[in-house]
Amino acid sequence: MYANPETIHPIAGYENEIYVKPTIQNPQIIVGDFTYIADSDFESHVSHLYEWNGDRLVIGKFCQIASGVEFVMNGANHQMNAVTTFPFYTLEGWNMKPPAISDLPIKGDTVIGNDVWIGQNAVILPGVHIGDGAIIGANAVVGSDVEAYSVVVGNPARKIRKRFDDELIELLEKFKWWDKSIEEIDSLIPILTSGNLEMVRNELKKRIGKSESKEKDSMCSEEVL
């Protein structure tokens, strides 16, 4: 019996950790399989996500989101190209039409990659893109893009190091373990959780090589047919 991505509570008898995907109601939020949050409600951690802005929160597979994390969306931004930032149009009793979208600092979708760990009370600001395998430190305020497999901390968040060397990062991005079948991921756990990075490197090279060889053979067979 393997893990089920449609399970809401992956720890039996414990309510404050959920797989996010099966709980989502808002169509502007897209979350991949097995991403979890240390809470019983994910959407309460997404603020200022309004239909009229057209932005989305997109989160990949197998992300780990700690308690207190907040995703601030574009609706939180105020007009900044005028002398006041006060949003008269949102409040009763003021005669102001909503500003044009072009007058608002809309920064597009917020996109989180796969296997990203976001530490407790971190804040992800609008339009940020966070690469696969990144680690976001507790209490970090992330206002700019984060490279894959890097570690960022602080306010504003800054990169303190890469998690691995460039070759291993490239192999991981090519292998994309999170896109494998559940059965294959289960069999990969000894590799994915090993601290012996040279062994991991060699295994990834071997498996990528086999996959590329199969693809090449398949293409040759199609050409013959």
Side-chain angles (χ1 to χ4, degrees):
M1 180 173 158
Y2 294 104
N4 182 354
E6 296 304 314
T7 298
I8 293 178
H9 299 102
I11 302 175
Y14 185 63
E15 299 269 322
N16 288 325
E17 186 157 302
I18 59 170
Y19 283 148
V20 174
K21 182 179 177 180
T23 73
I24 295 300
Q25 300 294 318
N26 191 323
Q28 290 171 261
I29 302 175
I30 300 166
V31 181
D33 291 344
F34 299 110
T35 284
Y36 71 77
I37 187 168
D39 199 345
S40 59
D41 175 28
F42 175 78
E43 291 192 36
S44 65
H45 294 260
V46 184
S47 66
H48 307 285
L49 180 59
Y50 305 130
E51 184 178 353
W52 58 83
N53 281 334
D55 56 340
R56 302 178 305 161
L57 173 60
V58 181
I59 302 177
K61 302 173 184 177
F62 293 93
C63 291
Q64 313 112 61
I65 303 170
S67 63
V69 170
E70 184 172 7
F71 299 91
V72 181
M73 304 302 290
N74 283 284
N77 285 325
H78 292 208
Q79 186 176 1
M80 296 173 64
N81 63 352
V83 295
T84 181
T85 58
F86 195 84
F88 293 101
Y89 68 99
T90 66
L91 307 169
E92 292 183 6
W94 298 105
N95 295 310
M96 178 190 176
K97 293 180 180 178
I101 290 293
S102 58
D103 282 331
L104 294 170
I106 303 296
K107 298 183 178 180
D109 294 342
T110 299
V111 181
I112 316 299
N114 303 281
D115 191 24
V116 174
W117 176 20
I118 304 178
Q120 192 164 322
N121 298 321
V123 177
I124 313 300
L125 296 180
V128 163
H129 286 213
I130 297 176
D132 298 325
I135 295 175
I136 311 301
N139 300 302
V141 178
V142 185
S144 56
D145 292 352
V146 176
E147 294 176 357
Y149 291 96
S150 61
V151 181
V152 301
V153 299
N155 179 10
R158 67 190 190 284
K159 183 172 81 171
I160 56 171
R161 63 182 175 86
K162 292 181 179 180
R163 292 182 60 194
F164 312 118
D165 62 48
D166 290 343
E167 182 190 40
L168 185 51
I169 291 173
E170 185 178 347
L171 288 168
L172 287 163
E173 289 281 70
K174 194 170 187 177
F175 188 62
K176 297 184 185 301
W177 66 263
W178 43 82
D179 285 339
K180 310 296 183 186
S181 69
I182 293 173
E183 293 83 357
E184 185 172 357
I185 293 171
D186 194 71
S187 72
L188 286 168
I189 288 174
I191 297 170
L192 298 176
T193 60
S194 173
N196 183 345
L197 296 184
E198 283 310 303
M199 180 275 286
V200 174
R201 188 192 314 271
N202 292 332
E203 283 293 327
L204 292 178
K205 286 180 179 178
K206 185 190 307 180
R207 291 167 186 266
I208 289 170
K210 285 182 180 178
S211 177
E212 290 176 343
S213 179
K214 285 182 181 178
E215 287 178 12
K216 187 176 180 181
D217 290 343
S218 177
M219 289 176 63
C220 289
S221 296
E222 289 175 3
E223 289 174 4
V224 170
L225 294 172

